[in-house]
């Protein structure tokens, strides 16, 4: 397909996804405006990622820090916000922070400490979600469920970080019902943590749901869905 047709396809995909997101929100009595679509760019190069703002999507997610640097430099649109959704090694924090609006994938205390230190040095703040391995899969990164309540008592240790919620992926092997259980567990964990944390911290965000399960995630309270394959459907060779 020629580039204009591919861009048209991207617009159609985004519109179809947003329609389904809105339906899922209404089904569960929520306002569609309360759920943000983060378009994941990991399947495409910087040139295609740069089509997103023109197609009406300014919340962009990338899982690899190095790819994020390249793509963020190529997408020179000031309205765009970048979300890191994959593991961040501590030696890449300094170079990654300036590009980021959000990190969804903060998965250890060591990373919280290192982010705090770098954000302090740069006199900046960063919006953070804590990644929880709700499905308890050994191959996944993230805090365990048992880590979380003790952590909520200590949020004041990281004053440069705006800890705004939780992120999770549903179990790899599982149907929609299993995904629903994982998502509702994340929501309940968030509610329990909110009761433990310092009052100035508001855990409003639940980043959960991908191409295969974003509607279920929204029904269970997702405020951000991270969608890749469905966004680029028909554009990948
Ligand atoms: C790749 C990825 C996504 C998007 O997955 P799709 O199934 O392609 O929509 C979401 N979240 C994370 C953390 C990812 O790595």
């Amino acid at each position: 397909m020629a580039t204009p047709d591919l861009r048209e396809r991207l617009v159609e995909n985004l519109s179809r996804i947003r329609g389904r997101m809105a339906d899922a929100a209404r089904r569960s009595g929520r306002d569609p405006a309360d759920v943000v679509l983060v378009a994941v760019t990991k399947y495409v190069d910087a040139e295609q990622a740069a089509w997103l703002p023109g197609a009406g999507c300014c919340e962009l997610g990338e899982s690899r820090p190095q790819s994020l640097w390249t793509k963020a430099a190529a997408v020179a649109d000031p309205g765009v916000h970048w979300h890191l959704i994959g593991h961040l090694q501590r030696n890449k924090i300094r170079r990654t922070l300036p590009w980021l609006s959000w990190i969804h994938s903060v998965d250890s205390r060591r990373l919280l400490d290192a982010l705090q230190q770098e954000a302090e040095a740069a006199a900046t703040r960063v919006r953070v979600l804590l990644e929880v391995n709700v499905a308890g899969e050994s191959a996944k990164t993230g805090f365990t469920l048992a880590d979380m309540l003790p952590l909520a008592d200590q949020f004041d240790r990281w004053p440069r970080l705006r800890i705004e919620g939780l992120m999770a992926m549903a179990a790899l092997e599982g149907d929609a019902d299993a995904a629903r259980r994982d998502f509702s567990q994340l929501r309940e964990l968030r509610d329990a943590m909110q009761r433990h944390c310092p009052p100035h911290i508001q855990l409003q965000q639940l980043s959960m749901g991908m191409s295969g399960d974003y509607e279920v995630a929204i029904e269970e309270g997702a405020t951000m869905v991270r969608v890749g394959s469905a966004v680029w459907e028909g554009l990948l060779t």
Side-chain angles (χ1 to χ4, degrees), residues 40 42-43 63 85-86 167 169 209-212 226-230:
V40 174
K42 71 181 179 202
Y43 306 111
S63 50
I85 61 170
M167 180 271 233
M169 279 180 265
M210 320 198 317
S211 294
R226 311 174 309 271
V227 182
S229 328

Side-chain angles (χ1 to χ4, degrees), residues 207-226:
S207 167
M208 53 190 199
M210 320 198 317
S211 294
D213 53 21
Y214 64 88
E215 291 162 280
V216 175
I218 291 168
E219 289 170 9
E220 294 302 324
T223 60
M224 295 181 176
V225 293
R226 311 174 309 271

Side-chain angles (χ1 to χ4, degrees), residues 152 155-156 161-164 194 197-204:
F155 283 171
D156 284 336
L161 310 184
R162 285 163 47 182
I163 301 174
E164 298 197 16
Q194 185 66 63
C197 18
H200 60 275
I201 290 179
Q202 290 294 318
L203 301 175
Q204 284 168 347

Side-chain angles (χ1 to χ4, degrees), residues 71-203:
K71 289 172 189 175
V75 182
D77 185 311
V80 160
H81 299 125
W82 280 95
H83 302 240
L84 182 71
I85 61 170
H87 182 65
L88 177 59
Q89 289 151 292
R90 283 173 298 155
N91 64 6
K92 300 210 170 68
I93 294 176
R94 190 165 305 167
R95 195 155 167 205
T96 310
L97 264 190
W99 298 111
L100 287 183
S101 296
W102 293 87
I103 310 182
H104 294 224
S105 42
V106 175
D107 54 8
S108 71
R109 274 169 197 271
R110 287 187 350 153
L111 183 56
L112 283 165
D113 289 340
L115 281 167
Q116 163 65 27
Q117 204 178 345
E118 290 291 345
E120 183 73 43
T124 186
R125 302 195 68 189
V126 55
R127 301 172 95 171
V128 158
L129 306 180
L130 303 171
E131 181 176 353
V132 188
N133 185 357
V134 269
E137 291 176 311
S138 56
K140 279 205 188 121
T141 53
F143 290 99
T144 66
L145 287 167
D147 290 332
M148 298 311 282
L149 280 187
L151 204 61
D153 291 330
Q154 295 168 35
F155 283 171
D156 284 336
R157 294 175 55 155
W158 305 290
R160 286 280 174 186
L161 310 184
R162 285 163 47 182
I163 301 174
E164 298 197 16
L166 305 180
M167 180 271 233
M169 279 180 265
L172 216 52
E173 312 265 318
D175 54 10
D177 288 338
R180 190 180 294 282
R181 278 195 298 277
D182 290 340
F183 295 146
S184 77
Q185 195 167 22
L186 192 73
R187 186 191 63 238
E188 284 164 16
L189 176 64
R190 186 275 309 272
D191 295 347
M193 287 182 79
Q194 185 66 63
R195 293 191 289 271
H196 271 250
C197 18
H200 60 275
I201 290 179
Q202 290 294 318
L203 301 175

